[in-house]
């Protein structure tokens, strides 16, 4: 048991840096930049701004800006056309659905009329055929008195 206590104590002391007599030195602070460096950085910033302005005003920069403007206009026009085509397609689909419903209703009316007409004709023929069959199979009528 004493061994474990000693081991834990040594571990804690080693972890806390108790066996290291000198503290860890801090890294030195970076030296302050001289004013010449700051002046140089400011001059470089001005040169970059001027170069950007010159590039924008150059013929190449103007052509690039015009090309970008045209591409944006084309993109906007394409979006507008796509929206227009989508609206037209939606309208056509709605018209097609309405047209199909109307045609289906007209066909259903015509079909109903034809079925009614055919069923009446078949009923008349059936009734006529049934009457003829009844007449064939009906027993003969007895002779009436005085008709012979």
């Amino acid at each position: 048991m004493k061994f474990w206590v000693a081991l834990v104590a040594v571990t804690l002391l080693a972890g806390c840096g108790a066996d290291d007599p000198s503290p860890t030195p801090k890294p030195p602070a970076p030296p302050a930049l001289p004013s010449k460096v700051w002046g140089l950085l400011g001059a470089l910033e001005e040169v970059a701004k001027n170069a950007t302005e010159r590039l924008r005003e150059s013929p190449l920069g103007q052509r690039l800006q015009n090309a970008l403007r045209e591409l944006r206009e084309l993109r906007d026009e394409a979006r507008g056309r796509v929206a227009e085509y989508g609206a037209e397609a939606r309208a056509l689909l709605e018209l097609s659905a309405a047209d199909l419903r109307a045609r289906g209703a007209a066909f259903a009316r015509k079909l109903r009329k034809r079925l009614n007409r055919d069923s009446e004709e078949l009923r008349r023929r059936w009734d006529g055929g049934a009457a003829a069959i009844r007449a064939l199979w009906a027993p003969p009528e007895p002779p009436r008195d005085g008709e012979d």
Side-chain angles (χ1 to χ4, degrees):
M1 181 73 172
K2 290 180 185 181
F3 173 75
W4 292 111
V5 172
L7 183 62
V8 169
V10 169
T11 306
L12 285 174
L13 290 175
C16 295
D19 61 17
D20 190 11
S22 64
T24 56
K26 293 183 181 178
L33 292 175
S35 62
K36 282 185 176 183
V37 174
W38 288 115
L40 182 61
L41 288 176
L44 286 175
E45 182 181 4
E46 286 298 318
V47 168
K49 284 181 184 178
N50 291 337
T52 303
E53 288 300 319
R54 282 191 307 240
L55 183 61
R56 283 186 186 151
E57 294 171 2
S58 72
L60 176 63
Q62 293 295 322
R63 279 190 260 157
L64 286 173
Q65 287 177 357
N66 289 337
L68 286 173
R69 190 177 310 114
E70 288 178 20
L71 286 174
R72 285 184 193 116
E73 289 172 2
L74 283 174
R75 179 196 62 197
D76 294 342
E77 185 178 342
R79 284 181 179 171
R81 286 187 182 183
V82 166
E84 181 182 330
Y85 297 155
E88 287 177 5
R90 195 174 310 116
L92 286 174
L93 287 174
E94 289 172 2
L95 284 176
S96 295
D99 185 42
L100 285 174
R101 276 188 236 111
R103 287 182 184 196
F107 178 74
R109 282 192 300 272
K110 287 180 183 178
L111 184 62
R112 209 174 296 122
K113 285 181 183 178
R114 288 175 65 191
L115 287 174
N116 285 337
R117 200 175 338 141
D118 289 348
S119 68
E120 288 298 320
E121 180 184 341
L122 288 173
R123 191 173 293 125
R124 279 194 306 271
R125 289 171 73 187
W126 177 264
D127 290 344
I133 290 175
R134 271 191 239 115
L136 284 175
W137 289 98
E141 291 184 19
R144 294 187 194 173
D145 291 335
E147 282 189 15
D148 270 327

